[in-house]
Amino acid sequence: QVQLVESGGGLVQPGGSLTLSCAASGSIFSIISMAWYRQAPGKQREWAALITSGSSSNYAASVRGRFTISRDNAKNTVYLQMNSLKPEDTAVYYCKFLIRNALGSAYEYWGQGTQVTVSS
């Protein structure tokens, strides 16, 4: 019953900025963590950023210093602010929530993906 809906992808020029959003709906009792992954054509999906329930953040070396992950608990939403974008950032970006249900069980949920293309 939990669904994640992503938005904010698009075409941007190198050096530009873009902010992605991912909102969860359904039977959510608590969110353990939120994360962003990305996958370029012909490559494996890679982890990009993580934010915990305590708002601690971690980033992959490839995005550290340029991307910022944040959350809005009231809206069950995670954001990814992307600055100084490079062509190699071009990928489909996926959000992932680790959610605990009413029974105390934890499950991973993935967004549908949103395309980010960095090109001049």
Side-chain angles (χ1 to χ4, degrees):
Q1 296 292 334
V2 176
Q3 291 186 323
L4 307 185
V5 179
E6 300 182 34
S7 62
L11 174 64
V12 297
Q13 295 183 340
S17 299
L18 201 63
T19 299
L20 307 181
S21 300
C22 178
S25 62
S27 300
I28 302 171
F29 286 84
S30 66
I31 299 175
I32 301 170
S33 64
M34 307 172 181
W36 287 96
Y37 291 74
R38 64 185 186 179
Q39 186 170 24
K43 296 184 178 180
Q44 293 186 334
R45 186 174 300 185
E46 66 173 354
W47 168 76
L50 169 73
I51 187 165
T52 68
S53 60
S55 296
S56 296
S57 301
N58 291 294
Y59 301 92
S62 58
V63 308
R64 188 177 297 117
R66 299 186 298 118
F67 291 11
T68 302
I69 187 171
S70 62
R71 69 182 188 184
D72 185 332
N73 291 336
K75 297 181 179 180
N76 291 329
T77 299
V78 65
Y79 305 92
L80 186 66
Q81 180 184 327
M82 304 181 293
N83 299 323
S84 302
L85 284 163
K86 306 174 181 179
E88 51 262 44
D89 294 320
T90 296
V92 177
Y93 284 71
Y94 299 89
C95 58
K96 186 197 76 176
F97 283 33
L98 182 60
I99 295 174
R100 182 175 287 112
N101 64 16
L103 299 178
S105 299
Y107 296 93
E108 285 187 349
Y109 297 92
W110 291 86
Q112 81 280 7
T114 184
Q115 177 71 47
V116 173
T117 302
V118 184
S119 177
S120 60

